[in-house]
Amino acid sequence: MTSLLEPGTTTDRAVRLRAEHRARWGADPALVGRAPGRVNLIGEHTDYNGGLVLPVALPHSTLVSLSPRDDGRVRVASLQAEGVFEAQLDDVGPGTVDGWAAYAAGVLWALDEQGVTVPGVDLLVDSTVPLGAGLSSSAALECAVAVAVTALVGGDLSPAGRRRLAAACVRAESEVAGAPTGGMDQAVSLLAEPGAALLLDFDTADGSVGDLRHVELGLERAGLALLVTDTRVSHALVDGGYGDRRAECGRAAEALGVDSLRRADLAGVEALPDPLLRRRARHVVGEVQRVSGVVEAVTAGDWGTVGRAFVASHASMRDDFEISCAELDLAVATAVEAGALGARMTGGGFGGSSVALVPADRVEAVVAAVQRAFADAGHRAPLHLMATPSAAADLV
Ligand code: GLA
């Protein structure tokens, strides 16, 4: 069988990271933070529309080792990337940091903006979250830094404190890294529980996380598994497509005379004169309803309905929201043909990953079928991982 991307054992990875930190920065790390990537089960492009989402935390995570400095400098390096980012903490902010280090340094800036006294730090990063695959490697990095710094300064890691950290991470991503994302990825990385999906409601005045509920999945009991396929078609939220969709949703809400598309109804949407805005809004309104339907079905153990909602969600993203691509469509269709109860693209779109709900004894067959279909179509070989619903960010 094609091998699956393994999450690695956290304790083993931390031992190695501590040694690398010592070798590189000349000091033992004071602590190591860990934060998971995520896969969203359903509710795509709904978070910034005041809607519902239902992500799970992956077992694949980012570790960040940290040692404080007394000269206000920041140094960031990664076991997965060349080079070192280095700056004076006071100089870090919107427009001053390029590349992946912006996600780490940006969090220091955002915490400072929240009134936290952040010292200079040396950081070293190690991640098993596939990069640029729509599985929130950036949020995992932000949240690992946020947890590590918060623990260092004796800050609040209660659920309320974690909500504040999520808000800081969103500011880091949108204002320093320049990716105008919603709040789903950071919230699930900081608030998930093992074995459960996290139902998040973004119907709040400022677009932050409102109500949340852990939805026990019981996948193993049901003989099911979540299989993620990384199409390896590059996906970058700092590219234009994501921002375009956000702007179109804003225009659709304005045309409907509502604050957010959460307040729109289908009849109003179907009467929109602009066909593009109609399609965009139809996706968002339908998708929020599908999230509620999936939560109900999961609770009732009705996995057939969950699978059908995945398939409907994918069609909506392909045809109305127009954020899929040939590779994602192929991964989804092939998974379903090979025995998945349902499958859909997940995350921001324009490439990245799909998620399939698969009977545990069909996983191998689905992986093999997708590999074959990609080879036949002349696509790059995709990667696969098992999305066992895992725990939120914490210290290692
Ligand atoms: C990205 C963003 C999220 C969300 C999804 C789409 O992952 O970071 O906030 O908007 O895309 O659902």
Side-chain angles (χ1 to χ4, degrees):
M1 170 178 177
T2 312
S3 65
L4 298 166
L5 288 176
E6 292 299 332
T9 308
T10 303
T11 43
D12 295 349
R13 290 172 58 208
V15 167
R16 169 163 177 240
L17 186 63
R18 283 174 186 279
E20 297 272 0
H21 188 109
R22 201 177 310 120
R24 190 181 291 249
W25 302 135
D28 280 320
L31 40 84
V32 176
R34 183 200 65 87
R38 63 99 189 90
V39 61
N40 189 21
L41 297 189
I42 196 157
E44 226 63 83
H45 287 257
T46 48
D47 56 356
Y48 60 78
N49 285 304
L52 301 171
V53 298
L54 191 68
V56 303
L58 293 175
H60 304 69
S61 68
T62 299
L63 304 186
V64 172
S65 56
L66 174 156
S67 48
R69 302 172 57 98
D70 52 18
D71 60 358
R73 282 197 86 61
V74 181
R75 296 192 295 179
V76 189
S78 164
L79 299 186
Q80 279 78 37
E82 297 286 315
V84 175
F85 167 79
E86 185 165 357
Q88 205 60 30
L89 194 51
D90 290 346
D91 295 334
V92 169
T96 67
V97 195
D98 288 333
W100 68 267
Y103 298 99
V107 171
L108 305 177
W109 169 82
L111 290 173
D112 180 80
E113 288 279 298
Q114 284 187 345
V116 177
T117 307
V118 181
V121 284
D122 287 332
L123 302 175
L124 189 59
V125 177
D126 171 50
S127 188
T128 57
V129 184
L131 305 178
L135 300 173
S136 292
S137 57
S138 52
L141 174 55
E142 292 153 13
C143 296
V145 172
V147 163
V149 172
T150 302
L152 180 77
V153 302
D156 181 5
L157 285 173
S158 71
R162 284 165 179 265
R163 282 172 178 256
R164 266 195 305 281
L165 292 188
C169 292
V170 171
R171 283 197 71 186
E173 179 140 357
S174 52
E175 296 179 46
V176 181
T181 59
M184 163 173 66
D185 310 340
Q186 295 80 3
V188 66
S189 187
L190 286 158
L191 291 157
E193 278 182 8
L198 182 60
L199 175 62
L200 296 164
D201 190 337
F202 285 89
D203 191 11
T204 53
D206 61 357
S208 62
V209 178
D211 291 344
L212 64 80
R213 181 149 69 86
H214 298 280
V215 179
E216 201 59 49
L217 291 175
L219 287 169
E220 219 177 295
R221 228 179 13 256
L224 295 169
L226 293 167
L227 172 70
V228 169
T229 296
D230 170 11
T231 62
R232 299 171 81 196
V233 176
S234 117
H235 132 115
L237 296 178
V238 286
D239 291 349
Y242 185 92
D244 290 349
R245 291 300 176 276
R246 255 193 111 138
E248 289 156 3
C249 289
R251 275 166 39 216
E254 204 180 318
L256 289 161
V258 291
D259 293 343
S260 76
L261 287 180
R262 180 65 177 277
R263 300 268 149 269
D265 61 45
L266 216 45
V269 167
E270 294 303 344
L272 274 173
D274 181 330
L276 182 119
L277 297 188
R278 198 189 311 143
R279 289 203 303 278
R280 303 301 188 247
R282 188 192 293 141
H283 165 71
V284 173
V285 172
E287 186 77 352
V288 170
Q289 290 171 355
R290 281 186 287 272
V291 176
S292 302
V294 162
V295 171
E296 257 176 52
V298 165
T299 312
D302 179 2
W303 293 101
T305 295
V306 175
R308 283 188 292 279
F310 275 29
V311 170
S313 170
H314 185 78
S316 174
M317 291 187 285
R318 184 191 59 212
D319 303 336
D320 283 338
F321 218 62
E322 296 177 284
I323 54 173
S324 189
C325 62
E327 291 84 348
L328 284 167
D329 292 345
L330 184 62
V332 165
T334 309
V336 172
E337 274 162 31
L341 298 187
R344 56 185 289 282
M345 62 137 276
T346 182
F350 309 101
S353 298
S354 62
V355 58
L357 179 65
V358 187
D361 60 5
R362 295 291 303 165
V363 167
E364 246 181 79
V366 170
V367 167
V370 173
Q371 286 294 129
R372 215 167 30 242
F374 270 55
D376 290 349
H379 299 319
R380 239 172 129 190
L383 302 171
H384 307 269
L385 59 87
M386 301 313 300
T388 313
S390 297
D394 226 325
L395 295 181
V396 175

